[in-house]
Amino acid sequence: MSPRRPAPPQSVPVYRAAQIMAVDGANMGDAVSFADELLLDDVYVLNYGADPKRLSMLASGAGAFEIAPDTEMGTPGAKLHLDCALTFMTPDGQTTDAIVLVEVDENNNAEDIYVVPLSALSSKFEYRLVGIDTTTAHQKFAQVACVSFTRGTHITMASGQQRRIEDLQVGDMVLTRGDGAKAVRWISQSTVRAVGDFAPICITAGTLNNANDLIVSPDHRLFIYQREDHLGAGRAELLVKARHLVNGDTVRIQDGGFVDYFQLLFDGHQIIYAEGIAAESMLIDSRTKAVLPQELSEAMGDVITGHSDRRHDGLDVSEPLLNRPDAAELLRKASMR
C-alpha cells in the first residue's frame, strides 16, 4: 500500500467571533463564544461591513484539525477545536446554522474563535440563538466536507446504462475510471437550504463536453485529462473543484430554495462518471467519517486502504491557475480528442 498521506486542505468561510455581537439578552455586549458561555434567546447581530474570510484547514487525524499554510485567517499550524453547532432564528422565522471553531495554542489555551456560517449571514437581521448543540458539530462539518451529487444526476453504470442517482441501490455496479466495475457500498441523502456553502454549482450542458447540466456541491472535484496543457498546470491529469470554475455564465451558483444532495461511497476513493463528466466519489477521512452510520464507521475501521492511500493526491489544481473567466473553456478544449 502507498504511504498514508494527509488529506488535502479544505477552505471554509468564517467570521471572527468578535464580528458577531449580542445586542439583547444575558450576554449583551459580548461576542459569540464557547458553548458553555452561550445562553439561549440571546440576540446577535453581524457587524456592518463584516465579510467572511477563508480559513484553510487540514485534517490531522482522529477528528482533529489544524490551520493550513494557505489560510487567510488564523495562525498556520495552530490546532482547531470544533466546539459546537448553533442554530439562529431571524424575526421572520427563518433558521440558519453555524459551527463554532476555536483556535488553541500549544498549551490548549484559546487564541481565537471563529464562526462558520452554513448559510449566508446579513448585518440587516437580528439572530436569536435558539439551539446550542455540542454533539453534532463534527457531523454538520462533515456534511460541508462531503462531495455530493444532486437529485436527477445520471451516473454511468458498469453496463453503460445511465441511471439517476436517486435510483441507485447499495451493491449496484458503477463504472469507475481506475478500477472498472465497482459496487456501491453506501448511499447517503440529505436535503439542505441551497445557500452559502451549501448552494450547488451548475455546470451547464456542453461546458465540459457534458450532454446535460451537472449540478454538484461546491467542493466536488472533477477529473480532467488534458490532451494539451492549455491551462499551464504542467501535467495531464487534473482534479478541479467545481467552485473554482464559476464564471456566472456556463458555470454558476444555484442559490436559493432547497437541494437534495446524494453521496456515493465505494470501498475506495473512485473517479466515476456523472452526466458524462469524470467526478470523484465520497472520500473518507477524519473530516467526513462522522457522517457514516456508526455500524458502518466501526466496520470500516480507522484506516481504510482504498481511501487512506490518497492515490489521487497531487492532481489538484491551485485556485490561482483557475482564476480566469475562460478556465472551463480551456479545460473543455484541453480534454477534446
Side-chain angles (χ1 to χ4, degrees):
M1 187 179 80
S2 302
R4 192 177 185 188
R5 288 174 281 177
Q10 179 189 9
S11 294
V12 292
V14 301
Y15 294 99
R16 276 202 161 90
Q19 295 176 301
I20 304 174
M21 304 293 294
V23 294
D24 190 22
N27 286 322
M28 187 169 64
D30 293 337
V32 169
S33 188
F34 317 106
D36 291 344
E37 297 182 356
L38 297 174
L39 291 171
L40 295 177
D41 286 331
D42 282 359
V43 177
Y44 289 83
V45 296
L46 176 68
N47 290 353
Y48 180 77
D51 290 318
K53 300 295 184 183
R54 182 175 59 82
L55 178 67
S56 185
M57 306 169 60
L58 286 167
S60 54
F65 301 89
E66 65 179 53
I67 300 178
D70 65 337
T71 191
E72 289 181 350
M73 185 78 81
T75 305
K79 294 180 181 179
L80 283 170
H81 167 64
L82 272 66
D83 183 75
C84 63
L86 305 178
T87 301
F88 296 96
M89 180 178 289
T90 57
D92 63 358
Q94 295 291 317
T95 59
T96 184
D97 292 327
I99 295 172
V100 174
L101 298 173
V102 181
E103 178 184 337
V104 297
D105 62 20
E106 57 186 13
N107 296 316
N108 215 34
N109 297 315
E111 284 287 315
D112 215 335
I113 302 174
Y114 308 103
V115 177
V116 184
L118 300 187
S119 58
L121 297 179
S122 171
S123 57
K124 298 178 181 179
F125 299 109
E126 293 184 341
Y127 295 92
R128 185 175 298 275
L129 185 60
V130 296
I132 305 169
D133 193 336
T134 58
T135 62
T136 63
H138 279 275
Q139 288 90 333
K140 288 189 174 182
F141 182 75
Q143 289 176 345
V144 178
C146 283
V147 296
S148 307
F149 299 97
T150 56
R151 180 179 295 275
T153 301
H154 290 92
I155 303 297
T156 302
M157 310 302 291
S159 64
Q161 175 194 8
Q162 300 296 304
R163 188 179 300 174
R164 293 181 186 275
I165 194 166
E166 63 266 28
D167 297 329
L168 290 178
Q169 297 180 3
V170 171
D172 282 347
M173 303 301 289
V174 170
L175 179 65
T176 71
R177 184 179 186 275
D179 295 324
K182 285 295 177 181
V184 176
R185 179 71 177 271
W186 181 66
I187 304 172
S188 175
Q189 188 265 322
S190 61
T191 301
V192 299
R193 292 178 62 202
V195 292
D197 258 30
F198 281 128
I201 305 296
C202 177
I203 301 162
T204 58
T207 300
L208 292 176
N209 303 309
N210 45 313
N212 303 306
D213 291 354
L214 175 64
I215 306 173
V216 294
S217 56
D219 279 329
H220 209 132
R221 294 182 298 175
L222 312 174
F223 178 89
I224 306 291
Y225 182 83
Q226 295 192 112
R227 299 178 186 280
E228 296 183 49
D229 189 10
H230 291 306
L231 197 63
R235 57 185 182 278
E237 296 186 340
L238 310 176
L239 281 175
V240 179
K241 287 185 178 181
R243 70 162 74 245
H244 293 162
L245 296 178
V246 170
N247 55 25
D249 181 19
T250 59
V251 184
R252 56 182 181 268
I253 300 171
Q254 286 200 174
D255 188 84
F258 291 82
V259 59
D260 291 334
Y261 276 138
F262 291 80
Q263 294 91 36
L264 293 183
L265 177 67
F266 297 85
D267 283 333
H269 182 229
Q270 299 289 352
I271 301 297
I272 62 175
Y273 298 91
E275 302 297 359
I277 296 179
E280 68 174 327
S281 65
M282 184 177 178
L283 172 65
I284 295 298
D285 57 28
S286 59
R287 297 170 299 183
T288 58
K289 198 167 187 285
V291 302
L292 298 179
Q294 184 176 354
E295 62 275 13
L296 179 59
S297 179
E298 292 174 352
M300 297 187 82
D302 292 330
V303 179
I304 308 166
T305 303
H307 292 259
S308 61
D309 56 11
R310 312 286 181 211
R311 59 177 171 169
H312 298 119
D313 273 9
L315 303 183
D316 290 272
V317 179
S318 63
E319 185 174 0
L321 269 184
L322 298 164
N323 189 21
R324 48 188 300 171
D326 63 343
E329 176 62 12
L330 288 178
L331 290 172
R332 186 188 69 81
K333 290 179 178 178
S335 63
M336 291 179 68
R337 288 183 171 83

